Amino acid sequence: MFLIPGIARKLAERYGAHPALRGWHVHNEYGSLDHSDHAAAAFRRWLRERYGTLQELNTRWSTAFWSQRYGDWAEILPPRQTQYMHNPTHAMDFRRFSADEFRDAYAEQVAEIRAAGSTAGVTTNFMLPDWNHLDHWSWRPHLDTVSIDHYLDTTGAPGETHVAYAGDLARSWAGGKPWLLMEQGTTQIALRDRHAAKWPDRVLRNTLSYLARGSQGAPFFQWRASTGGSETWHGGMVPHAGPDTERFESVVRLGDTLRRLAEVAEPPAEGPVVEADVAILWEADGWWALENDGLPSTRLSFPEAVRRTHAALWKSGIPADFVPADADLSRYRVLLVPSMMPVAAELAGRWRQFTESGGTLVIGYFTGMTDEHLHVVRGGYPGALREVLGIRTTELCPLGEDEHVHLDDGTLATRWSEYIELHGAEAMVRYQGGVLDGRPAVTRHPVGDGQAWYVSSHLSEDALRRLLDGVCERAGVTPTVVDLPDDVEAVRRRGREHTYLFVLNHSTSPLRITGGERELTRNTDLSTESLLVPPLSAAVVRENAKHVRVEIDGAVDYTAS
């Protein structure tokens, strides 16, 4: 429910000490942008605080172009409907302003709850996957628990990677600590053209995937499927057919399984619940920048770039954290930046320092093209990153829907290409044929004790995975379980007394697990016997000093590293 400050105070005064109260859920899925006159006045106040003077704002917004210069603060409005294109920095600042307003509105209500004397935890549910109006990192000081709603937007194997993406992102927003999955779908996957069935075996594996990555529970929306209203066809734990169904019985079985995993929820005394040597940059500014009009290509997508990079690591069994631009990178071996159009000079300097200290930096195309005000850095692309990457791009060559380029490693790339000059870097892969024949496509540049890579085109999924596998191997990063097939997932979660290996069998073949102490979902003593995990099922192993082995069809061993 939405608690405006006065109502928040009244509710906290009335229910704050109630013995049944476990926490406060403030609002629901923040993210409705406001372009009203009320918002315009607040936007102008925000801009005054940010820029101080109109002269500074005009400079940062490049208002000399198209004669957009402002002579009075009252002339500034939110970026409403326009005939052609918005000023990109104007639009970007409105997104930043709106994100601050969302966070501050939430913090205001938390303050009222605390002022009323309630000490119960407070949270709100971030919405994934495909829209973003928040700067999630800035919410951490105001949230007792990070919580998310996550609904799959694809079926098949990509759906499993999507679950992992959401779990890793939520854990990262929580600073590596446990978090809460507040909503997931029970019976269906909402696609563009239909609601596909989400079968009970998938609900189980998805739930365990969230738990493996730090969730402290697995609530659903909703309890009983509605018979009317806007979400009539949104699934429920009790479906339209009623409780005497396989669907509801599977929910009951899931509840029984979760009770057996209670010990997993005890967080470690220190450190993250999942350890990772690889970090992926995730910044709202990078997302918002690519939503502006007038870019060289309409096929540039921040969320897609980040998700496919994470999916490549998932397929290789390599755990990853997401990090903000100002993160402490000292604990990571590899930093991946799939997409980040605006890169300030200070940020470029921090990445250079990370690389000089022995880290491996991998930069995706169209990253660093502008500064934080969306002003292109003159002298060649990619702006402030030219020095650390040891390259200079002089021509951007976006590709059409049906176009591709050949690379000399035998693969094809799509969407994007560049004319690159080497200035200290070496070409690891080159373009082959066409106007870019022989020009670098993927480069590597030694910097101090580390190295910086640049990927100038949209590699295929297989090519991207091979590249990242090689980068990780060079950096000494290994999978949680070496050489597992793509459709078998292994995640290690750290607990108070033990570590737990979650093995999710998305394949149609059985697995045999030996080693470890006990399998919790079936209460099997692994010190005396092995366990057969059926296809499309899962296991949670409490580990001990003995390595856990996973066998596919009893033929090949895969040993946890």
Side-chain angles (χ1 to χ4, degrees), residues 114-257:
R114 294 292 179 243
S118 178
T119 59
V122 186
T123 189
T124 189
N125 46 333
F126 295 147
M127 179 60 182
L128 291 173
D130 57 358
W131 55 279
N132 174 45
H133 302 302
L134 308 179
D135 176 12
H136 300 81
W137 304 108
S138 69
W139 289 62
R140 191 184 300 170
H142 308 286
L143 292 162
D144 293 301
T145 301
V146 168
S147 59
I148 67 168
D149 296 349
H150 189 241
Y151 293 94
L152 298 186
D153 61 2
T154 184
T155 59
E160 312 301 346
T161 66
H162 195 201
V163 170
Y165 168 78
D168 287 338
L169 193 52
R171 184 188 68 251
S172 301
W173 286 335
K177 297 179 181 179
W179 53 279
L180 178 65
L181 174 71
M182 188 176 289
E183 291 184 23
Q184 65 171 319
T186 316
T187 63
Q188 57 197 212
I189 300 171
L191 306 178
R192 292 183 183 275
D193 61 341
R194 70 189 190 283
H195 287 177
K198 184 180 181 184
W199 298 108
D201 63 83
R202 181 161 218 164
V203 173
L204 170 67
R205 286 179 286 113
N206 287 175
T207 297
L208 293 183
S209 180
Y210 294 121
L211 296 178
R213 291 172 166 83
S215 181
Q216 295 295 83
F220 293 87
F221 181 79
Q222 52 191 329
W223 165 243
R224 188 183 301 274
S226 174
T227 58
S230 299
E231 293 188 300
T232 301
W233 301 105
H234 193 297
M237 299 168 75
V238 181
H240 287 145
D244 56 338
T245 56
E246 169 61 23
R247 173 64 64 182
F248 182 70
E249 291 174 2
S250 71
V251 171
V252 173
R253 291 195 298 270
L254 175 60
D256 186 51
T257 298

Side-chain angles (χ1 to χ4, degrees), residues 362-377:
V362 182
I363 300 291
Y365 62 88
F366 209 70
T367 293
M369 295 292 162
T370 71
D371 65 13
E372 67 271 32
H373 303 290
L374 305 189
H375 294 185
V376 172
V377 180

Side-chain angles (χ1 to χ4, degrees), residues 22-34:
R22 291 294 178 267
W24 296 94
H25 172 206
V26 174
H27 196 61
N28 177 66
E29 298 176 353
Y30 277 95
S32 298
L33 295 178
D34 181 6

Side-chain angles (χ1 to χ4, degrees), residues 278-356:
V278 179
I280 303 174
L281 185 82
W282 200 100
E283 270 289 341
D285 271 9
W287 188 322
W288 298 334
L290 294 189
E291 292 186 336
N292 275 315
D293 298 322
L295 298 174
S297 172
T298 60
R299 304 175 71 197
L300 297 165
S301 170
F302 176 90
E304 181 184 3
V306 173
R307 278 178 60 173
R308 72 194 307 267
T309 297
H310 180 270
L313 297 175
W314 180 92
K315 291 178 181 178
S316 295
I318 297 173
D321 289 338
F322 292 93
V323 294
D326 62 354
D328 177 5
L329 301 174
S330 59
R331 61 179 293 245
Y332 298 105
R333 296 171 184 252
V334 177
L335 172 63
L336 307 178
V337 186
S339 176
M340 187 64 186
M341 178 180 134
V343 174
E346 184 273 337
L347 179 56
R350 295 183 72 251
W351 290 349
R352 181 180 181 87
Q353 184 179 22
F354 166 76
T355 309
E356 289 176 336

